[in-house]
């Protein structure tokens, strides 16, 4: 039997961990790409124990560094020829700064790192001959009213980092629609998801007095959040490629997120950065 392969970023905890366990339960070999082997070990051990040693592989990936992304892609090709599911899940909110190559931290990690990873894995996605890319965005993208390209190369400006987080999540949506436009003819479908408000470690940077308010809003469990992502991997139709999903349903993102000119501009700018920094 031809075993399918998935790569999930940031799968040591939260939504990514639940996605990994669910993919493995379907007999899919999961390549976990994360920045700490030690923090990922419990997930690796759980998958191996439940589904067999050959069902899980770990690759080092720090999305703050293009060198790390390049080496993650190279290592992937050492063990695998094709990639059926790429889940660009890793992300954070609330930290401030710059990536190694000087991108605003949230933009660099949550969006640009995944852009480079996806482009570097293109050959494997084509070889799968019906691959799916699922990008994890957020409803919060809708607070962005303008994409200021100059600010993407400067340190995080806002104190909470939430504005920059929202920009990175807008970029995830623009990326997905352009990925669909460019890769659908290669039999690669692309989806972007708002997983819901989910009780995970992503809120650790939030001031402690705000956390009870989030809880009151009714947070989903990581398993429930993962279900929204898995819907795009398995149940959404290929004819829905390029779309933004919320609650397992295609939904309308913000007007800015549907601006095709902006999506093309972001893709082309990202490509030029990638050609400069990636090998
Ligand atoms: N939770 C929510 O309510 C919510 C809502 C909307 C969207 N989302 C999105 O859902 C996705 C998963 O988030 P989560 O809620 O499951 O959060 P989480 O529990 O904090 O998990 C985030 C994952 O991303 C990884 N990550 C962070 N920075 C990284 C980097 N530089 N390189 C590689 N990996 C990195 C983390 O690794 P470390 O353990 O090494 O830090 C962790 O594995 C994110 O894209 C987030 O924006 C979440």
């Amino acid at each position: 039997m031809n075993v399918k392969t998935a790569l999930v970023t940031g799968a040591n905890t939260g939504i990514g961990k639940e996605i990994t366990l669910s993919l493995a339960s379907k007999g899919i070999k999961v390549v976990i790409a994360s920045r700490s082997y030690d923090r990922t070990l419990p997930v690796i051990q759980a998958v191996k124990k439940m589904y067999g040693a050959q069902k899980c592989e770990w690759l080092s990936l720090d999305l703050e560094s293009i060198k790390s992304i390049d080496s993650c892609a190279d290592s992937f090709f050492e063990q695998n020829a094709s990639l059926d599911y790429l889940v660009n899940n890793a992300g954070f909110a609330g930290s401030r700064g710059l990536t190694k190559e000087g991108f605003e931290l949230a933009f660099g990690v949550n969006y640009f790192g995944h852009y480079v990873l996806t482009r570097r894995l293109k050959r494997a996605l084509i070889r799968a001959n019906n691959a799916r890319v699922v990008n994890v965005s957020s409803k919060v993208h809708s607070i962005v009213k303008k994409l200021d390209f100059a600010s993407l190369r400067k340190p995080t400006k806002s104190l909470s980092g939430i504005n920059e987080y929202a920009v990175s999540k807008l970029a995830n949506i623009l990326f997905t629609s352009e990925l669909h436009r460019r890769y659908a003819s290669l039999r690669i479908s692309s989806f972007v998801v708002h997983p819901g408000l989910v009780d995970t470690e992503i809120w650790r940077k939030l001031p402690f007095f705000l956390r009870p308010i989030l809880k009151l809003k009714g947070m989903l469990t990581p398993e429930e959040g993962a279900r929204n992502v898995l819907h795009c991997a398995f149940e959404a139709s290929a004819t829905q490629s390029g779309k933004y999903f919320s609650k397992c349903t295609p939904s309308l993102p913000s007007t800015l997120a549907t601006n095709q000119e902006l999506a093309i501009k972001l893709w082309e700018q990202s490509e030029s950065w990638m050609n400069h920094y990636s090998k």
Side-chain angles (χ1 to χ4, degrees):
M1 204 178 71
N2 198 4
V3 175
K4 295 201 171 193
T5 303
L7 187 149
V8 185
T9 67
N12 53 299
T13 184
I15 299 169
K17 174 183 164 188
E18 296 304 327
I19 293 169
T20 296
L21 294 173
S22 181
L23 289 167
S25 76
K26 292 178 188 294
I28 295 166
K29 172 183 156 187
V30 189
V31 179
I32 298 179
S34 65
R35 17 179 206 186
S36 159
Y37 179 75
D38 287 349
R39 282 205 299 276
T40 313
L41 193 56
V43 184
I44 299 170
Q45 283 172 334
V47 173
K48 289 190 171 178
K49 191 170 168 209
M50 284 190 278
Y51 308 111
Q54 68 294 1
K55 280 291 179 307
C56 193
E57 202 179 290
W58 178 77
L59 294 177
S60 173
L61 173 69
D62 182 352
L63 290 156
E64 278 186 44
S65 151
I66 302 297
K67 199 169 153 207
S68 169
I69 297 165
D70 280 346
S71 104
C72 174
D74 289 346
S75 306
F76 177 87
F77 282 111
E78 278 166 22
Q79 300 288 332
N80 307 277
S82 66
L83 179 59
D84 299 275
Y85 303 97
L86 170 59
V87 185
N88 289 322
N89 159 78
F92 74 88
S95 291
R96 309 174 72 238
L98 282 175
T99 66
K100 304 272 183 300
E101 285 78 20
F103 293 91
E104 189 287 316
L105 196 57
F107 177 82
V109 169
N110 298 352
Y111 160 71
F112 184 59
H114 283 124
Y115 173 89
V116 175
L117 182 68
T118 306
R119 294 288 306 267
R120 292 293 319 273
L121 294 172
K122 179 181 174 187
R123 188 160 35 101
L125 291 165
I126 294 174
R127 217 170 272 159
N129 194 28
N130 224 340
R132 289 191 167 207
V133 178
V134 185
N135 294 319
V136 183
S137 177
S138 167
K139 195 170 148 182
V140 85
H141 77 274
S142 60
I143 68 170
V144 185
K145 298 301 169 220
K146 184 175 178 272
L147 186 53
D148 169 21
F149 279 74
S151 67
L152 306 177
R153 303 304 317 262
K154 293 180 187 159
T156 317
K157 195 171 165 195
S158 75
L159 268 186
S160 65
I162 291 302
N163 292 349
E164 288 80 359
Y165 175 70
V167 166
S168 74
K169 295 290 141 182
L170 168 73
N172 289 147
I173 302 176
L174 293 165
F175 171 41
T176 307
S177 71
E178 198 50 19
L179 195 61
H180 161 67
R181 216 171 61 80
R182 291 173 188 249
Y183 286 12
S185 61
L186 304 171
R187 293 175 65 81
I188 299 170
S189 306
S190 312
F191 304 87
V192 60
V193 185
H194 166 59
L197 185 63
V198 187
D199 193 1
T200 66
E201 289 182 35
I202 202 162
W203 305 111
R204 65 195 142 187
K205 294 269 185 308
L206 207 69
F208 73 94
F209 56 87
L210 288 177
R211 289 181 210 159
I213 299 176
L214 282 179
K215 296 250 180 201
L216 282 177
K217 282 184 161 234
M219 294 176 107
L220 303 178
T221 63
E223 207 179 340
E224 289 166 334
R227 229 172 272 152
N228 291 321
V229 179
L230 292 161
H231 175 84
C232 290
F234 299 112
E235 284 153 54
S237 141
T239 59
Q240 294 172 318
S241 173
K243 296 210 181 308
Y244 169 77
F245 280 72
S246 178
K247 295 184 181 161
C248 300
T249 310
S251 309
L252 258 191
S254 69
T255 312
L256 197 59
T258 59
N259 183 326
Q260 196 187 347
E261 232 173 80
L262 187 63
I264 293 172
K265 185 176 171 191
L266 179 65
W267 180 284
E268 288 175 353
Q269 180 60 77
S270 302
E271 184 166 62
S272 134
W273 284 326
M274 182 183 75
N275 292 340
H276 184 76
Y277 292 111
S278 175
K279 61 177 189 178

